[in-house]
Amino acid sequence: MSSAPLTPADLRCAYRVNPLGVAPGQVRLSWQLHGPGRNRAQSGYQVQVAVDEAGQAMDPGPDWDRAVWDSGRVRSSDSAGIGYAGQDLRRGGRYAWRVRAWDERESVSQWSDPAWFEVELDPAAGWRASWIGQGWQRALNGPPAEDGPFDPVARALQPAPYLRREFTVDRPVAAARLYVTALGLYEMRLNGARAGDAVLAPGWTDYRQRIAYQTYDVTGLLRPGSNVLGAILADGWYSGFIGFDAKRAGGLYGTEPELLAQLLVRFAGGGETWVLTDSEWRVSSGAIRHADLLMGERHEQALEPEGWDRPDFDARGWSTVVRRDRDSVPLVADPGPPVRVTQELPARSVQRDAAGRFIADFGQNLTGWLRLQVPGPGTACVRIRHAEVLDGDGALYTDNLRTARQTDEFVTGGGPAVAEPRFTLHGFRYAEISGYPGELPADAVTARVVHSDIAPAGAFESSAGWLNQLFANIDWGQRGNFISVPTDCPQRDERLGWLGDAQIFARTACYNRDVAAFFAKWLDDVADAQHPSGAFPDIAPRLNLDWAGAPAWGDAGVIVPWTIWKMYGDPAVLDRMYPAMTAWMEFIERGNPGYLRARELGNCYNDWLAPGDDGTAPELLASAYWAYDAALMAEIAEVTGREAEAAGYRALWSKIATAFADGFVGGDGRIACDTQTAYVLALHMNLVPDELREAAAGWLRAAVDRADGRLTTGFVGVGYLLPVLSSTGGLADAYRLLGAEGLPSWRYMVDQGATTVWERWDGWTADRGFQSAWMNSFNHYALGAVGEWLYRFVLGLEQAPESAGFGRLVVRPHPGGELTWARGSYQSVRGPVCSGWSVSGERFTLRVELPPNVTASVRVPSADPGAVRDAAGGGPSSVAGFPGRAGAQEAVFEVGSGTHEFTGPVLAGQEGQDG
Ligand code: BGC
């Protein structure tokens, strides 16, 4: 077959498209290859990086002949995680890069279109600006005031500072960059327009250890003559309410927000100038009377100083700012994706309640806020409350918010207005709007969906409508909770980066969306939060809690980096986390010389929220995770070139595995505790001696039977339950659990109308109503960890054990249960991989699509594997045992890129309807 050369495209640096701030050590490049035909592969590549000082005199563009790095032709199929290896990169410098690739026949492609990156400023020396703020004394939580009832919230909430500075541009501008961060949240304005489209920036880090900043290209916002750079600040995670119990973070990080910004203006004729945050700035307040992530936001339009962020505004009444020298906390270019408004949802319905309030239903539980058109004339006081669910009377159910208020208020200024908050976040499907003048038309209100801007990567569809809804719910749960850090829930007074939830959901998260940069950022937070003992924290950022070391929570510090490497193929994340990971391993070993992890379990949440039965012994669960860590560490050490350490971790694994087998595995393959989770962990983590695996798998199936085909796993067991069943002969049981109705089951939530995944299986029941208001989120992603099973097993989009970054797949679909077809895809770093299958009568058909530079062993389960044929009529290269069912077989085909179709007799018992 004739084939044009491959074309490299979709260039990424540090997992991002043309990032404006990347640390020199994190310039890691990747590309995808496009090209027709089959079995296409990259045999080599060449990367060039050249200085490209955008808009400098004459703008010559990158001079490729004077590249700062030319890799030369590298014989390799790698197309991700290519580390920069050229001359030192200049801090703040702009570079262009391009790549060309040699294909399987050694023909070379054209050079790709260039991509760019800009290097972050020196974390200390690159900054000349000072922190500025308002310098008001703000009330923290304190004793009740003597003169009336104490409302710590009202006392703490303060108007948002507005800051401005004028400057002059007296020459034509070639390029301008705004480097900015805040302690708190900022919205930057330049000549009346918003700079950048990030919201809730700079996001959440432990501000005592690391502060992220953003870089915006603001060239188009400057104008000749007078210009104004402005900012609105809010408390956010820095000095607002965060975590449990309505506590302001103020006592932890700081008490009032501050701004740090530098605007670099480069002139067309050469030369540059900086506008910095300094004592020249002026401060006042405006319409935003308070803004808080948990509590909500209040605007009084009449108080807005119109035109404050443009020139020719009279700022004589504004105060001078309080200036503070920078301290030694490093300022790093934000490695994660910004939080943005990613979608708008119209109201599905707006109804009036008996009290005259409007209840808007957006048909989807989401995280964000409302945008509301309020007509004039006259002043309206509109109040918006938000909730995930309604109570039996059709009113908002807000008991589960605990002390979070999620309430916004807008006092309009007399004319028509658009009411929209900026510095808060609500978890809701419903909103109650009171004080609205007249009738509220449904098209006057929309929900703005807000989260870290993680691009969709996965798709899944099947013949079961309810399962498609579950899939959507899992993705919405991720969207609602990936807000700068992976949080447990977006509505109540918690919203914390729990490690246990993150590790169990990490693989699902990667399949659903491109989370490489998101997790790279959060892993820095995890390392920052590590306890001096080496124990990984329970939550990151850690607040002022020294909770650390909980099994299945702390283990996230090893599992998440490993998962990111496996999914995206760049071992740099492993190198970066290596010291933290080894400190964790030493911490556990120090406390547990007998190789069972029975001590130093911290807060041990065990198999959190296991329905009915939490009978899994903590030391079993903890030891299984420790063994798993050791196995992953052996792999991690090996892939990062640490041979001796890899051997050490293999030896450690053997010791834990032996102790585990001695302590917990019976001669008949029974595992102590006899819970589903105990079997799942022992089998998934490979802790059952080979000769007993089959027996143990049988006991797991018996445990499922004993529970009448229901799951009894909590957050920890839930992730591997269906994968383990499906790979140890229990595929039918996996489908039985998947399809189970009633409590507890995934389907139960869907049947109750859920549009996200609930924290608890029984968040609401007909007999009892709501679960305890104290802990009952309707948007918690942990139980959605079943998502990875849909991709890896139902679709069969699984990597070969030795593969990282989807170079080599084992496409092994697992048809079963009520499904007659399923199809879906995953946008891997090498391009989209797709699988779709259907059963028609006695025929099973599978279609697989792979991008260039990806190969797969395709496994087609069949009652007669020898009779399975590819589209050209070719038979399988071999026949193997199908792990999903004892005695069943699969036909094996080896394929490369292109579209491939296979058809053959269906597995016995899987016959579907004709047509
Ligand atoms: C959170 C969980 C978390 C757990 C730890 C809860 O309050 O919502 O998701 O993992 O605490 O026990």
Side-chain angles (χ1 to χ4, degrees):
M1 180 176 305
S2 88
S3 298
L6 295 172
T7 314
D10 300 305
L11 278 61
R12 298 268 197 286
C13 172
Y15 309 121
R16 289 174 291 157
V17 180
N18 299 335
L20 290 187
V22 53
Q26 289 175 35
V27 175
R28 316 275 306 175
L29 309 174
S30 74
W31 56 89
Q32 294 181 12
L33 295 160
H34 298 176
R38 287 191 172 214
N39 300 324
R40 306 303 308 276
Q42 172 185 293
S43 61
Y45 67 82
Q46 182 178 10
V47 171
Q48 290 183 336
V49 179
V51 174
D52 181 42
E53 292 298 357
Q56 282 294 30
M58 302 304 145
D59 193 5
D63 180 356
W64 299 111
D65 292 335
R66 292 178 43 220
V68 290
W69 183 42
D70 186 334
S71 69
R73 179 174 175 177
V74 179
R75 289 197 168 273
S76 164
S77 62
D78 290 348
S79 61
I82 309 298
Y84 175 81
Q87 296 167 25
D88 283 352
L89 294 168
R90 194 176 68 74
R91 292 291 183 164
R94 178 177 172 88
Y95 296 87
W97 69 282
R98 61 181 187 172
V99 58
R100 60 179 176 168
W102 281 262
D103 70 8
E104 67 288 346
R105 295 168 314 156
E106 310 280 328
S107 341
V108 66
S109 70
Q110 301 287 320
W111 285 105
S112 67
D113 289 339
W116 287 267
F117 62 87
E118 293 185 14
V119 181
E120 72 173 2
L121 303 176
D122 184 289
W127 287 83
R128 342 166 165 194
S130 308
W131 288 103
I132 57 171
Q134 195 168 32
W136 287 356
Q137 256 321 314
R138 298 173 145 233
L140 282 181
N141 304 306
E146 279 162 23
D147 53 352
F150 173 56
D151 178 354
V153 176
R155 276 171 52 120
L157 300 178
Q158 299 286 330
Y162 284 41
L163 301 101
R164 76 189 300 277
R165 188 198 199 284
E166 298 217 14
F167 62 97
T168 306
V169 171
D170 57 6
R171 277 168 283 164
V173 170
R177 293 287 181 274
L178 177 61
Y179 304 92
V180 56
T181 187
L183 292 170
L185 305 176
Y186 68 79
E187 178 180 314
M188 291 306 289
R189 317 279 311 173
L190 187 50
N191 297 326
R194 180 178 202 137
D197 58 359
V199 299
L200 307 184
W204 190 6
T205 57
D206 189 329
Y207 307 104
R208 300 164 300 188
Q209 288 175 269
R210 175 191 310 265
I211 299 170
Y213 68 88
Q214 286 73 36
T215 307
Y216 302 111
D217 180 350
V218 293
T219 316
L221 296 180
L222 288 172
R223 46 186 250 181
S226 275
N227 287 258
V228 170
L229 185 58
I232 308 176
L233 300 182
D235 290 320
W237 293 280
Y238 175 75
S239 50
F241 287 92
I242 51 170
F244 321 97
D245 306 334
K247 286 194 196 71
R248 277 189 80 200
L252 172 65
Y253 301 128
T255 56
E256 65 144 336
E258 294 178 329
L259 176 71
L260 184 74
Q262 343 197 109
L263 171 66
L264 168 64
V265 183
R266 288 198 165 139
F267 298 111
E272 60 183 39
T273 187
W274 290 86
V275 180
L276 310 175
T277 43
D278 57 19
S279 43
E280 295 296 303
W281 286 63
R282 293 291 176 269
V283 61
S284 185
S285 60
I288 304 179
R289 305 319 289 165
H290 68 241
D292 184 87
L293 290 170
L294 293 176
M295 300 303 163
E297 199 159 316
R298 178 180 168 86
H299 290 209
E300 291 179 32
Q301 201 49 46
L303 297 176
E304 184 72 353
E306 282 307 325
W308 69 276
D309 53 358
R310 285 192 290 270
D312 303 323
F313 172 81
D314 181 1
R316 274 175 301 181
W318 288 41
S319 314
T320 51
V321 292
V322 171
R323 192 193 72 84
R324 180 171 69 81
D325 287 338
R326 273 176 296 106
D327 52 27
S328 56
V329 180
L331 293 156
V332 299
D334 187 357
V339 177
R340 289 197 175 103
V341 176
T342 62
Q343 193 179 347
E344 285 202 35
L345 286 184
R348 183 190 275 185
S349 69
V350 175
Q351 315 230 307
R352 209 165 194 152
D353 71 7
R357 298 170 299 214
F358 296 100
I359 305 281
D361 174 5
F362 295 93
Q364 174 62 55
N365 198 17
L366 60 94
T367 301
W369 54 64
L370 296 197
R371 173 183 267 179
L372 185 67
Q373 319 276 346
V374 188
T379 295
C381 300
V382 181
R383 186 160 196 259
I384 309 173
R385 298 167 61 233
H386 304 77
E388 298 178 288
V389 285
L390 299 179
D391 65 18
D393 301 327
L396 298 198
Y397 176 76
T398 54
D399 294 357
N400 67 334
L401 303 181
R402 302 199 299 224
T403 63
R405 293 189 179 174
Q406 301 213 117
T407 300
D408 297 333
E409 294 166 341
F410 299 92
V411 184
T412 61
V418 177
E420 178 173 1
R422 294 159 153 156
F423 299 116
T424 187
L425 208 57
H426 313 307
F428 67 102
R429 167 176 170 170
Y430 302 93
E432 176 208 271
I433 300 154
S434 51
Y436 191 84
E439 274 305 313
L440 171 59
D443 62 1
V445 56
T446 51
R448 308 259 284 165
V449 179
V450 177
H451 53 84
S452 286
D453 196 357
I454 43 177
F460 175 88
E461 223 190 330
S462 74
S463 56
W466 77 268
L467 187 57
N468 303 340
Q469 182 66 46
L470 173 66
F471 176 80
N473 295 2
I474 293 170
D475 185 51
W476 273 102
Q478 178 170 351
R479 296 175 72 183
N481 280 296
F482 278 43
I483 315 280
S484 183
V485 308
T487 61
D488 57 334
C489 59
Q491 71 301 88
R492 67 176 177 230
D493 61 357
E494 185 156 352
R495 312 183 186 190
L496 297 174
W498 286 99
L499 272 73
D501 308 39
Q503 67 87 1
I504 207 68
F505 189 69
R507 184 100 71 120
T508 301
C510 293
Y511 273 106
N512 280 342
R513 291 192 170 247
D514 179 358
V515 292
F518 176 86
F519 272 122
K521 179 265 176 195
W522 184 64
L523 286 171
D524 286 343
D525 300 333
V526 170
D528 284 349
Q530 191 168 28
H531 194 266
S533 65
F536 277 122
D538 299 1
I539 54 176
R542 56 177 282 267
L543 306 181
N544 52 352
L545 305 168
D546 59 5
W547 299 349
W553 269 247
D555 301 289
V558 175
I559 295 169
V560 176
W562 176 84
T563 304
I564 296 303
W565 162 65
K566 278 301 259 187
M567 294 298 286
Y568 301 102
D570 184 355
V573 64
L574 304 176
D575 268 321
R576 192 168 168 85
M577 286 295 286
Y578 200 79
M581 295 190 286
T582 49
W584 163 250
M585 296 305 286
E586 284 160 18
F587 156 78
I588 304 180
E589 194 165 354
R590 248 191 340 266
N592 296 280
Y595 298 101
L596 286 182
R597 189 173 173 209
R599 297 190 359 220
E600 310 255 18
L601 303 184
N603 281 343
C604 190
Y605 309 102
N606 215 34
D607 192 13
W608 185 245
L609 298 183
D613 156 37
D614 189 16
T616 310
E619 57 273 24
L620 184 152
L621 182 149
S623 303
Y625 265 89
W626 184 20
Y628 192 44
D629 290 348
L632 300 186
M633 286 302 293
E635 214 179 322
I636 288 168
E638 205 166 290
V639 75
T640 57
R642 298 169 165 96
E643 291 300 332
E645 289 165 65
Y649 283 118
R650 277 193 291 273
L652 173 64
W653 181 85
S654 299
K655 288 180 196 154
I656 306 169
T658 305
F660 190 97
D662 291 350
F664 303 122
V665 185
D668 56 357
R670 256 187 219 249
I671 312 286
C673 316
D674 211 23
T675 58
Q676 292 177 11
T677 293
Y679 289 105
V680 166
L681 296 182
L683 287 164
H684 179 73
M685 287 143 185
N686 215 5
L687 296 169
V688 182
D690 285 348
E691 65 282 10
L692 294 177
R693 262 186 90 81
E694 218 177 291
W699 292 117
L700 168 59
R701 293 194 295 274
V704 173
D705 273 344
R706 224 172 29 246
D708 286 331
R710 304 211 163 272
L711 48 80
T712 61
T713 50
F715 278 24
V716 172
V718 76
Y720 304 126
L721 176 61
L722 303 195
V724 165
L725 282 166
S726 310
S727 32
T728 58
L731 181 63
D733 293 277
Y735 272 104
R736 187 171 167 210
L737 291 174
L738 179 77
E741 294 173 67
L743 281 168
S745 72
W746 290 283
R747 191 162 179 173
Y748 175 79
M749 301 180 196
V750 172
D751 288 344
Q752 305 315 307
T755 56
T756 39
V757 174
W758 297 354
E759 176 175 27
R760 316 178 77 126
W761 300 107
D762 60 348
W764 184 88
T765 67
D767 323 336
R768 195 216 39 231
F770 293 108
Q771 246 285 4
S772 155
W774 176 71
M775 224 187 68
N776 193 22
S777 145
F778 292 96
N779 194 356
H780 238 71
Y781 56 64
L783 300 181
V786 67
E788 75 172 74
W789 183 77
L790 301 178
Y791 292 102
R792 296 174 57 207
F793 288 84
V794 178
L795 298 177
L797 292 174
E798 172 71 310
Q799 289 189 78
E802 72 282 5
S803 170
F806 281 77
R808 172 88 184 144
L809 274 61
V810 176
V811 178
R812 175 184 278 141
H814 287 66
E818 62 180 290
L819 301 186
T820 54
W821 60 268
R823 60 172 171 253
S825 59
Y826 170 62
Q827 283 287 342
S828 78
V829 280
R830 293 193 179 210
V833 295
C834 315
S835 153
W837 56 261
S838 62
V839 178
S840 176
E842 295 186 354
R843 292 210 79 66
F844 179 77
T845 305
L846 170 68
R847 191 185 155 96
V848 174
E849 269 177 70
L850 304 176
N853 217 20
V854 174
T855 63
S857 173
V858 177
R859 311 298 180 101
V860 187
S862 176
D864 181 3
V868 178
R869 291 286 170 269
D870 65 19
S877 59
S878 61
V879 168
F882 173 63
R885 187 198 293 179
Q889 291 187 309
E890 58 191 21
V892 181
F893 295 84
E894 294 300 325
V895 302
S897 70
T899 302
H900 309 275
E901 208 169 283
F902 308 91
T903 183
V906 73
L907 269 183
Q910 282 294 303
E911 297 80 4
Q913 310 290 318
D914 273 332

